[in-house]
Amino acid sequence: DADVTQTPRNRITKTGKRIMLECSQTKGHDRMYWYRQDPGLGLRLIYYSFDVKDINKGEISDGYSVSRQAQAKFSLSLESAIPNQTALYFCATSDSGETQYFGPGTRLLVL
Amino acid sequence: QKEVEQNSGPLSVPEGAIASLNCTYSDRGSQSFFWYRQYSGKSPELIMFIYSNGDKEDGRFTAQLNKASQYVSLLIRDSQPSDSATYLCAVRETSYDKVIFGPGTSLSVIP
């Protein structure tokens, strides 16, 4: 089984809808991250969490919120989706902030 | 905002040649540097990390770090078509203990 899983893998939604992307990990890491990837822009950090009680905004947090339900679970929500949130979303984990282990990604299309 | 820059490419090299990928960073205090490989439609995976000035070799891959000039490079010897991917440079920020990714360089190895 994969160490970092993301659900759903693909999602199509309409403008204004609320959606949640979920991430689970079995690596036992305290640190979890949400990134979005757009062509030519690389990975941009949305939110990160160093433990269950510690959540921090990344460089592009506007329009997103997160919830760290447990050490192993970190969810990303789009409260009211808009077309420019169409992107590939990755969850990642790390133990000491060094090597990051990525989930398979969620491809989101907002119409 | 700390920055990590890479040539977007695409970089094309013939099979068997040396591929050279470069990255510059703005945070002079950065201590940890990473190279991730990302195949099309897949998630990034770590291939090299380097902390100290100089070279670090792992099989066909060599990472080179020059902190004074603030650049890090990745050399791939005896390039293979299977090396065709996007290579992401990442730098660990000193101030916020998180990793900043560059936009990636697309490498194509021509048989």
Side-chain angles (χ1 to χ4, degrees):
Chain A
D1 288 342
D3 294 323
V4 184
T5 57
Q6 292 183 233
T7 56
R9 294 293 313 279
N10 295 279
R11 179 75 183 267
I12 300 174
T13 192
K14 295 182 178 180
T15 297
K17 294 292 187 181
R18 181 182 188 276
I19 68 164
M20 179 182 290
L21 309 182
E22 298 185 337
C23 176
S24 294
Q25 53 112 348
T26 58
K27 298 188 76 65
H29 291 165
D30 286 326
R31 302 183 180 199
M32 298 187 73
Y33 309 80
W34 274 106
Y35 294 92
R36 65 176 280 175
Q37 188 172 40
D38 301 274
L41 295 179
L43 288 163
R44 292 185 291 165
L45 185 62
I46 306 172
Y47 271 95
Y48 60 105
S49 170
F50 285 173
D51 65 42
V52 175
K53 297 181 181 179
D54 178 64
I55 292 178
N56 306 280
K57 293 182 178 181
E59 58 180 309
I60 55 164
S61 59
D62 288 348
Y64 301 94
S65 63
V66 291
S67 173
R68 185 80 184 268
Q69 300 96 324
Q71 185 202 37
K73 296 184 181 296
F74 193 34
S75 300
L76 176 72
S77 293
L78 286 67
E79 299 300 326
S80 179
I82 56 177
N84 76 1
Q85 291 178 312
T86 292
L88 182 57
Y89 290 84
F90 286 106
C91 173
T93 74
S94 71
D95 50 7
S96 62
E98 299 293 344
T99 303
Q100 297 200 8
Y101 299 86
F102 287 84
T106 294
R107 195 170 295 277
L108 175 65
L109 173 61
V110 183
L111 300 175
Chain B
Q1 173 66 31
K2 304 298 191 299
E3 294 183 347
V4 177
E5 298 183 345
Q6 300 178 248
N7 290 329
S8 61
L11 173 65
S12 293
V13 300
E15 183 175 355
I18 296 175
S20 178
L21 306 165
N22 299 310
C23 171
T24 60
Y25 59 94
S26 62
D27 183 1
R28 185 170 290 277
S30 296
Q31 298 294 319
S32 308
F33 306 87
F34 308 86
W35 283 100
Y36 285 80
R37 177 177 62 201
Q38 185 177 23
Y39 291 113
S40 180
K42 302 296 184 182
S43 55
E45 57 179 340
L46 182 74
I47 53 172
M48 291 283 290
F49 62 87
I50 186 168
Y51 303 133
S52 304
N53 271 332
D55 296 357
K56 179 182 180 182
E57 186 173 319
D58 183 1
R60 296 186 295 111
F61 298 95
T62 300
Q64 299 175 318
L65 175 61
N66 184 321
K67 290 185 178 180
S69 300
Q70 294 177 242
Y71 83 77
V72 57
S73 62
L74 179 70
L75 301 179
I76 306 174
R77 291 182 301 281
D78 189 24
S79 296
Q80 301 297 308
S82 59
D83 295 326
S84 298
T86 295
Y87 289 81
L88 303 170
C89 173
V91 176
R92 183 176 179 179
E93 278 194 333
T94 51
S95 58
Y96 295 104
D97 200 26
K98 64 183 188 294
V99 171
I100 303 297
F101 285 83
T105 296
S106 174
L107 172 66
S108 179
V109 180
I110 310 301

